[in-house]
Amino acid sequence: MSKVERPTDASLILTYRCQMRCKMCNIWKFPTDKRKEITTKDLEKLPKLKFINLTGGEPFLREDIEEIIEVSLKKAKRVVMSTSGWHVDRILKIAEKFKNANLGIRVSIEGLSQKNDYLRGRAGGFDRGLKVLLGLRNLGFKDIGFGITVSNDTSEDMLWLYELAKNLRMEFATAIVHNSYYFHKYDNKIENMEEVISNFHEIIRRQLKEKNPKSWFRAFFNLGIINLVRGGKRMLPCEAGTVNFFIDPYGEVYPCNGLEENIWKVSMGNIRDFETFEDIWFSERANKVREMVRACPKNCWMIGTAAPVIKKYVRHILPWVLRNKLKIELGKDVDINCVPHYNVGNRDHMQGSWDVEGFKKRFGKWIEELKS
């Protein structure tokens, strides 16, 4: 227990209430009772962190979102909110109160106008998201941007959205569909693999051409997405529950948001049941969850769990970044078939190769005990 590190990153799932009707996410079908959602009093127990992501559902549906932002800014050096951008006036009104704080806002946009509105199930979603971004810029916000979660037939739109973000001088993030308890979805699948891989290859080229080193590391992250689509094991160990954690709307502390009930889903504990967060983090139960993470059969590559280890092991990744930046500058291409895997001394040697049944055989008894 003395070797367990204190976390640096946290994601707070503030609600499962959502006004969108996304095809690749069923959160909106399982809305939380707002009377049972975590409160600012619960969040006061959080430790000091480097980064907090406030997400949902739609976090701006929380009536107490201003108080939540205030608590989060006290707990972390940087806070970023994820939103659909649907509630334009409310978002901009609240944002204006925090325009001088270290607060960032990201709007989820899943494609160009027609495709975005179809996938998100609400006409006008693209327009509202763009209004929020431009309104935030007018307020003087610098840490703003948008991102796409690529599903079938949207990877070409990703390239156009990347160009839009670059011309607007905004951040642009990428992701790809996953299945998990968080999304309440288990049948997402990339069908047109070659097209998706080709478009991610192209965005890697464009990011490495940029002058901003942050974009070069995003190219590395996108290589991880290509690797995931191909079914490869993670390039970096998953240290969910060690460097980061998630708290769901009911206060349960999970190592990540990629867990699936049919494989495993075990909480480290509920923040409402403990005097301090450290009582959860350094518990024997949390240690058992971390051990399961080390052998988890899923090879998720989501920003919430990938970004912390990319930052932690940046010196290991740097040679790939610099080598491929140089290749692009010399007119050569990035070899996406050469995928590095880093054994940084903190991973189960079986991680990425355990099948589900092997995992359940090893940890089945623990899972049942911890659930009960």
Side-chain angles (χ1 to χ4, degrees), residues 14 25 27 61 67 74 104 117 119 122 142-143 181 187 196 208 231 247 256 348 369:
L14 301 177
C25 174
I27 280 179
L61 286 176
E67 291 80 6
K74 292 176 184 176
D117 292 359
L119 287 171
R122 297 293 301 270
K142 295 181 179 179
D143 190 1
Y181 80 91
D187 60 354
V196 169
L208 287 170
I247 300 183
C256 70
D348 190 310
E369 287 177 353

Side-chain angles (χ1 to χ4, degrees), residues 111-297:
L112 297 178
S113 179
Q114 291 182 341
K115 199 163 289 184
N116 174 83
D117 292 359
Y118 166 75
L119 287 171
R120 307 222 73 183
R122 297 293 301 270
F126 182 89
D127 293 351
R128 292 190 184 210
L130 195 57
K131 285 178 182 179
V132 166
L133 290 166
L134 296 176
L136 291 169
R137 171 59 55 78
N138 288 337
L139 288 174
F141 269 77
K142 295 181 179 179
D143 190 1
I144 55 175
F146 57 98
I148 181 175
T149 298
V150 171
S151 53
N152 291 308
D153 303 321
T154 63
S155 60
E156 183 182 353
D157 280 22
M158 169 182 67
L159 299 177
W160 291 109
L161 290 174
Y162 165 79
E163 294 299 329
L164 178 62
K166 192 166 68 170
N167 280 280
L168 291 174
R169 300 188 306 281
M170 293 181 183
E171 302 285 339
F172 182 67
T174 54
I176 199 156
V177 289
H178 280 70
N179 296 309
S180 77
Y181 80 91
Y182 173 60
F183 303 110
H184 300 275
K185 198 84 163 62
Y186 301 99
D187 60 354
N188 282 320
K189 185 178 180 181
I190 295 297
E191 303 286 353
N192 54 335
M193 286 177 53
E194 293 308 313
E195 180 184 354
V196 169
I197 289 170
S198 175
N199 285 322
F200 269 102
H201 191 176
E202 176 58 26
I203 202 168
I204 287 171
R205 294 187 190 101
R206 297 185 191 184
Q207 287 172 327
L208 287 170
K209 287 179 181 178
E210 290 189 44
K211 295 180 180 180
N212 184 1
K214 191 174 182 179
S215 296
W216 311 343
F217 285 94
R218 283 183 174 143
F220 176 86
F221 174 79
N222 285 325
L223 179 67
I225 290 180
I226 291 175
N227 179 58
L228 173 71
V229 171
R230 286 174 167 167
K233 63 182 182 180
R234 284 177 62 110
M235 301 189 296
L236 285 165
C238 180
E239 295 189 9
T242 299
V243 294
N244 70 282
F245 61 90
F246 280 72
I247 300 183
D248 81 357
Y250 303 104
E252 296 291 339
V253 180
Y254 289 104
C256 70
N257 62 338
L259 303 177
E260 295 185 43
E261 287 92 339
N262 66 327
I263 302 175
W264 76 287
K265 180 193 173 191
V266 178
S267 164
M268 291 176 153
N270 194 298
I271 197 167
R272 290 168 166 163
D273 297 334
F274 294 82
E275 288 294 321
T276 70
F277 182 83
E278 286 73 17
D279 291 336
I280 299 176
W281 195 250
F282 296 109
S283 67
E284 184 57 36
R285 180 186 179 94
N287 284 337
K288 287 183 176 181
V289 170
R290 279 186 276 267
E291 193 163 337
M292 286 187 276
V293 169
R294 289 170 64 87
C296 182

